[in-house]
């Protein structure tokens, strides 16, 4: 079946629009730091409002960091946040922090009963009593947000998900496809000429 010029143009516009759909995110993105490398932190709770927060932290990977540092950037970014952390299974010199509660404008989201701030990781190193490499692109249950139990790496993800810990966060631990790249690809489809 041969499409008319106008139908081919319409089809190309529809395909270009579809290319933009994956770039739409439900997370409120916070950009902090500076440097050539990026790691990600997700804060997700039904009680944080209608949005999930996704923090993109840029840094230099030659200076090793942990997820505790990523979390501290939230407070640096917005002083309305205060955090309560527990040092479970660690020592004063090698703490193993877990998030107990987040307080935002005097409203606390604290662990109670079966709900708590479950820690999830993708890429980098995590584990107790010894950290080991974690696969990229899929969530693994974490074991504390501070070094030496959690070390971030370029393109690593950490999530603190207020839940019963039985399910992974809703945000996929992969960087979103750039809107600019998708727009370029969509434009190429529109302006592509059929060769005879």
């Amino acid at each position: 079946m041969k499409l008319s010029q106008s139908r081919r143009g319409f089809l190309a516009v529809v395909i270009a629009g579809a290319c933009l759909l994956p770039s739409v995110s439900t997370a409120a993105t916070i950009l902090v730091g500076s440097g050539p490398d990026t790691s990600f932190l997700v804060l997700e709770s039904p009680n944080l409002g209608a949005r999930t927060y996704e923090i993109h932290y840029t840094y230099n990977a030659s200076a090793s960091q942990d997820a505790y540092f990523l979390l501290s950037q939230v407070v640096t970014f917005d002083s309305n946040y205060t955090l309560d952390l527990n040092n479970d299974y660690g020592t004063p010199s090698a703490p193993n922090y877990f998030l107990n509660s987040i307080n935002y404008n005097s409203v606390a989201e604290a662990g109670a009963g079966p709900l708590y701030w479950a820690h999830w990781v993708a890429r980098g190193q995590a584990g107790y009593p010894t950290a080991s490499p974690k696969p990229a692109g899929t969530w693994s249950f974490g074991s504390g947000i501070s070094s030496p139990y959690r070390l971030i790496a370029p393109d690593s993800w950490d999530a603190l998900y207020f839940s019963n810990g039985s399910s992974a966060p809703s945000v996929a631990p992969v960087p979103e496809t750039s809107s600019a790249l998708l727009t370029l690809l969509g434009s190429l489809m529109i302006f592509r000429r059929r060769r005879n």
Side-chain angles (χ1 to χ4, degrees), residues 19-39:
C19 285
L20 292 175
L21 289 178
S23 69
V24 176
S25 174
T26 59
T29 302
I30 299 169
L31 306 173
V32 292
S34 64
D37 302 304
T38 304
S39 289

Side-chain angles (χ1 to χ4, degrees), residues 35-113:
D37 302 304
T38 304
S39 289
F40 305 89
L41 173 67
V42 173
L43 295 175
E44 184 174 352
S45 168
N47 303 321
L48 282 176
R51 290 155 89 78
T52 293
Y53 295 86
E54 186 177 308
I55 296 94
H56 296 200
Y57 170 62
T58 57
Y59 64 104
N60 188 331
S62 63
S64 181
Q65 297 290 353
D66 56 16
Y68 171 75
F69 181 77
L70 288 179
L71 185 59
S72 71
Q73 299 308 298
V74 175
V75 177
T76 302
F77 179 81
D78 187 342
S79 61
N80 291 311
Y81 282 101
T82 56
L83 308 173
D84 177 39
L85 298 151
N86 292 335
N87 180 11
D88 295 335
Y89 314 111
T91 66
S93 61
N96 188 17
Y97 289 125
F98 287 83
L99 180 62
N100 183 50
S101 69
I102 291 180
N103 190 310
Y104 185 73
N105 284 334
S106 301
V107 176
E109 179 77 290

Side-chain angles (χ1 to χ4, degrees), residues 112-116 163-165:
L115 301 178
Y116 65 102
S163 64
N164 65 8

Side-chain angles (χ1 to χ4, degrees), residues 84-156:
D84 177 39
L85 298 151
N86 292 335
N87 180 11
D88 295 335
Y89 314 111
T91 66
S93 61
N96 188 17
Y97 289 125
F98 287 83
L99 180 62
N100 183 50
S101 69
I102 291 180
N103 190 310
Y104 185 73
N105 284 334
S106 301
V107 176
E109 179 77 290
L115 301 178
Y116 65 102
W117 284 102
H119 181 220
W120 295 83
V121 298
R123 204 161 193 284
Q125 294 188 22
Y128 179 84
T130 305
S132 59
K134 294 297 175 186
T138 184
W139 289 116
S140 300
F141 203 72
S143 57
I145 63 174
S146 52
S147 174
Y149 311 105
R150 175 58 175 156
L151 298 173
I152 64 173
D155 297 324
S156 66

